[in-house]
Amino acid sequence: MKIIDMRSDTVTKPTDEMRQAMAAAEVGDDVYGEDPTVNRLQELAAETLGMEAGLFVPSGTMGNLLSVLTVCNRGDEVIMGNLGHTFLFEAGGISALGGVFPHTLPNQADGTFLLEDVENAIRPDDIHAPISRMVVVENTHNRCGGTVLPVAYMQDLAEIAHRNNLHFHLDGARVFNAAAALAVDVKEITRHVDSVTFCLSKGLCAPVGSVVCGTRDLIKRGLRIRKVLGGGMRQAGILAAAGIISLEKMTKRLGEDHARASALADGLASIPGVVFEMGMPQTNMVFPSLTEDIRLSTREIATRLGEMGVKVGVVANRRFRLVVHYWISDEDIVTTIQSFKRVLSTQ
Ligand code: TLP
């Protein structure tokens, strides 16, 4: 049975071209800075995002953590969304390892938080208050539905952050999906931030890795933090070789995933009992919800779909997440819609 795995785009396996490039990669000891393929990836990433320098890290989680630890002292505060990945899904790392305080703001349905909330969250210069040091924003926003934050919003947020001497970090795990959806060069998004983490191992199909980009000074400090976190890898060019293909090729095809995600949502929305929020999906993530008249539990439906070879994520009591990626074909979209129809008609 063919398995259609849409639990996440993290499940993507490397392409044949990546596997060949990995086998042939020129490598060296990257902790000595001597891996030519890692160096090429880092330079290419920085150039693509319009930043001064890049640093290859094992995961998006480490990229965000490293960015926070590089900028913040113990007791400092980071302003972030209450539905952001850094707050919800990074195991509290910034507090556990950095003694850094998250100051959460309510994420709106579109993934933003209100600019006035940011202004109000910034602490006065008062010995009783923690020091506000950083703002973290996520684009695309995962938990809000793979939503795209507009360039104008990034610019407005940057203005507030910089006027208040705050560092502006972008969790851009899927920033190339945002750029594709907005039909802009990714630099239009990243030019507003001081640092960005983006992932090679999600829609971009590399087996492992993310890159943090920022100023040369930030990356130099980040290199030490990466070592502290145990993220200094040796012949990592084997991995970086796939990442180079991610950047050169896979970033250019994400529109295909978005089109398939729309087709999937259209098909699912035609099934009685399945509903979507207005204007969704915006990128490669599809979040169908169930109306009250569906009696089967969301978990039970996911289990039955799984038995039919369709793996989906359950994100809330009546809500699924299906993520479209490189290995999902038009035929898989049709099969998934049919499978949902079958399961929901047997309740
Ligand atoms: N997201 C994963 C899960 O952790 C939820 C997924 O399946 O979507 N930022 C964002 C916005 C992310 O979505 C993720 C992964 C990360 C950071 C962390 O990346 P990794 O998994 O490489 O540590």
Side-chain angles (χ1 to χ4, degrees):
M1 178 170 61
K2 187 188 173 197
I3 302 297
I4 300 171
D5 193 347
M6 286 202 260
R7 287 170 302 165
S8 182
D9 46 9
T10 59
V11 303
T12 47
K13 293 178 184 164
T15 62
D16 286 343
E17 189 185 358
M18 285 179 175
R19 289 176 190 269
Q20 279 159 26
M22 291 168 79
E26 221 187 304
V27 296
D29 190 330
D30 182 49
V31 175
Y32 294 154
E34 288 175 4
D35 188 303
T37 312
V38 171
N39 291 341
R40 224 171 85 227
L41 169 68
Q42 292 176 161
E43 280 158 26
L44 178 64
E47 189 191 310
T48 308
L49 274 67
M51 313 292 273
E52 282 180 12
L55 186 63
F56 187 46
V57 290
S59 67
T61 301
M62 189 184 286
N64 288 332
L65 174 61
L66 177 150
S67 302
V68 172
L69 297 185
T70 301
V71 170
C72 296
N73 299 309
R74 296 186 75 79
D76 284 353
E77 203 168 64
V78 179
I79 296 167
M80 62 179 74
N82 66 343
L83 298 177
H85 196 276
T86 304
F87 183 60
L88 290 180
F89 302 123
E90 294 176 11
I94 61 165
S95 301
L97 303 179
V100 176
F101 236 53
H103 185 150
T104 56
L105 305 180
N107 272 118
Q108 308 297 299
D110 64 0
T112 62
F113 30 76
L114 301 179
L115 296 175
E116 65 190 78
D117 284 353
V118 182
E119 298 263 18
N120 292 334
I122 298 169
R123 306 286 186 171
D125 183 9
D126 178 328
I127 58 156
H128 298 89
I131 296 172
S132 306
R133 188 76 69 187
M134 189 169 183
V135 180
V136 177
V137 79
E138 193 174 309
N139 197 4
T140 62
H141 199 288
N142 184 344
R143 236 347 109 107
C144 290
T147 47
V148 182
L149 279 53
V151 171
Y153 177 79
M154 298 294 292
Q155 186 172 2
D156 290 346
L157 208 46
E159 192 279 316
I160 296 174
H162 295 147
R163 177 158 42 78
N164 290 282
N165 286 324
L166 301 187
H167 180 102
F168 186 19
H169 176 72
L170 169 63
D171 177 357
R174 298 182 181 83
V175 70
F176 288 99
N177 292 85
L182 292 166
V184 297
D185 188 305
V186 71
K187 291 188 190 73
E188 290 302 309
I189 302 172
T190 52
R191 61 199 277 253
H192 299 292
V193 304
D194 302 305
S195 56
V196 48
T197 305
F198 74 92
C199 295
L200 299 162
S201 62
K202 301 193 166 59
L204 303 184
C205 274
V208 177
S210 291
V211 184
V212 179
C213 292
T215 60
R216 251 179 227 106
D217 177 54
L218 180 117
I219 295 304
K220 193 169 161 220
R221 284 182 286 133
L223 197 58
R224 169 173 281 272
I225 302 287
R226 187 182 70 175
K227 190 70 187 143
V228 171
L229 297 174
M233 298 179 283
R234 300 293 178 176
Q235 285 70 33
I238 300 260
L239 303 172
I244 290 170
I245 295 172
S246 293
L247 273 176
E248 287 180 338
K249 299 213 167 147
M250 307 307 272
T251 52
K252 311 218 162 40
R253 56 153 307 282
L254 294 170
E256 279 178 44
D257 296 341
H258 299 180
R260 289 196 179 100
S262 286
L264 175 61
D266 286 348
L268 293 176
S270 71
I271 305 171
V274 180
V275 287
F276 284 89
E277 278 150 35
M278 277 280 286
M280 301 296 267
Q282 295 182 9
T283 56
N284 64 330
M285 293 190 179
V286 178
F287 285 75
S289 295
L290 300 175
T291 57
E292 291 300 325
D293 36 298
I294 302 289
R295 288 188 314 275
L296 275 176
S297 79
T298 317
R299 291 236 165 258
E300 179 58 28
I301 294 169
T303 303
R304 291 196 195 174
L305 286 167
E307 285 160 7
M308 297 162 86
V310 177
K311 293 189 179 183
V312 302
V314 171
V315 291
N317 186 16
R318 309 190 70 78
R319 201 162 191 232
F320 302 96
R321 182 182 77 157
L322 286 76
V323 187
V324 177
H325 53 74
Y326 180 80
W327 296 104
I328 300 297
S329 64
D330 290 332
E331 205 186 328
D332 295 337
I333 298 293
V334 173
T335 308
T336 302
I337 297 165
Q338 282 168 350
S339 306
F340 260 94
K341 259 188 202 149
R342 247 198 290 159
V343 171
L344 292 180
S345 67
T346 57
Q347 65 150 345

